[in-house]
Amino acid sequence: MASLDRVKVLVLGDSGVGKSSLVHLLCQNQVLGNPSWTVGCSVDVRVQDYKEGTPDEKTFYIELWDVGGSVGSASSVKSTRAVFYNSVNGIILVHDLTNKKSSQNLYRWSLEALNRDSSPTGVIVSNGSDYDREQFAENPVPLLLIGTKFDQIPESKRSEVLTRTAFLSEDFNAEEINLDCTNPRYLAAGTSNAVKLSKFFDKVIEKRYFTRDPSQMTGFTDRKRFNFKSLHYD
């Protein structure tokens, strides 16, 4: 097979939210039978047909970098992860829909990845009042928000949880997908989730290879600095 152009997408979120299961499902179209903790970083590859079904269709590799989910304050942990944040073209933020804290911590993860010279330790951000959404409106790196364990949310709580994820999606200026990583039907061809996923990967490819200034997407050297305020969840 001829060598394909590729893009690098980080998969970030707390330990236990299901990042490895998600990556395996995205790349192998199979459920991961015995998931384990990721130490450091694990990389898998997905094939993406950019602009599928059009005259501009072209096949790319999507490298999905599953970064270990420890959010400890040790500088050595964060400096080790910083190596994985170089030359990133897109970011998937993953949270456990049954664990509100994992949703809160997505702000910490995004701060760490997009502004490595700042410390995420102790930063808690709310779903509204003092958060400046325009910071992410100017972010050149495409983001996608994925909530896992959707099947474990009681019917009586789903409306509340989905309202919370909608706020997250708005804060990050990103599309949201909610699913169960043990059920491939959530990403079956033709579903709204599959369409959102394909559009996200196409956007990553578009910005990396077809933007007028692709240098903006090969790293964070010239990125705007993201300064998060110290806030609190209601």
Side-chain angles (χ1 to χ4, degrees):
M1 186 182 203
S3 177
L4 300 177
D5 289 328
R6 60 190 62 210
V7 293
K8 176 180 177 180
V9 176
L10 292 177
V11 181
L12 302 178
D14 289 0
S15 295
V17 298
K19 298 188 302 297
S20 297
S21 296
L22 173 66
V23 169
H24 190 80
L25 182 61
L26 292 178
C27 296
Q28 310 300 328
N29 196 31
Q30 294 177 344
V31 174
L32 182 60
N34 188 25
S36 59
W37 301 110
T38 299
V39 178
C41 183
S42 177
V43 182
D44 208 340
V45 177
R46 171 188 172 97
V47 175
Q48 174 73 11
D49 291 322
Y50 171 72
K51 290 193 173 181
E52 186 176 9
T54 74
D56 297 323
E57 181 175 337
K58 183 179 178 181
T59 303
F60 289 83
Y61 282 141
I62 307 290
E63 292 182 349
L64 292 169
W65 290 55
D66 172 13
V67 179
S70 171
V71 292
S73 60
S75 59
S76 59
V77 173
K78 289 182 286 186
S79 62
T80 299
R81 281 201 298 260
V83 175
F84 308 132
Y85 300 154
N86 293 323
S87 302
V88 171
N89 307 118
I91 299 175
I92 296 176
L93 297 169
V94 186
H95 62 120
D96 175 352
L97 294 169
T98 70
N99 180 352
K100 189 174 182 179
K101 185 176 180 180
S102 74
S103 303
Q104 295 174 348
N105 284 340
L106 292 184
Y107 296 99
R108 302 173 66 178
W109 282 107
S110 55
L111 184 150
E112 183 178 291
L114 295 172
N115 191 13
R116 285 173 290 160
D117 51 358
S118 293
S119 169
T121 305
V123 175
I124 300 177
V125 183
S126 78
N127 60 350
S129 58
D130 299 319
Y131 182 72
D132 183 3
R133 296 181 178 91
E134 291 184 2
Q135 294 182 84
F136 275 97
E138 297 175 355
N139 169 37
V141 181
L143 303 176
L144 179 66
L145 185 71
I146 295 186
T148 62
K149 306 182 185 180
F150 183 74
D151 59 308
Q152 296 181 26
I153 304 172
E155 209 51 63
S156 60
K157 294 284 187 180
R158 287 193 175 181
S159 177
E160 174 188 337
V161 171
L162 294 178
T163 297
R164 189 170 75 241
T165 63
F167 275 114
L168 280 173
S169 176
E170 189 174 355
D171 277 355
F172 288 113
N173 191 33
E175 287 279 8
E176 63 170 319
I177 292 174
N178 299 310
L179 49 71
D180 166 18
C181 292
T182 67
N183 189 342
R185 288 183 296 176
Y186 279 88
L187 292 174
T191 62
S192 61
N193 285 345
V195 171
K196 287 179 183 179
L197 188 67
S198 184
K199 285 184 177 179
F200 168 72
F201 288 136
D202 274 8
K203 184 177 182 180
V204 172
I205 293 167
E206 179 85 30
K207 292 206 170 213
R208 171 62 181 88
Y209 288 101
F210 302 105
T211 174
R212 290 183 179 180
D213 186 10
S215 64
Q216 292 183 358
M217 293 307 302
T218 58
F220 296 123
T221 302
D222 299 321
R223 69 190 183 279
K224 290 183 178 291
R225 185 165 296 179
F226 290 77
N227 295 314
F228 288 78
K229 302 175 183 177
S230 180
L231 310 173
H232 298 278
Y233 243 90
D234 295 332

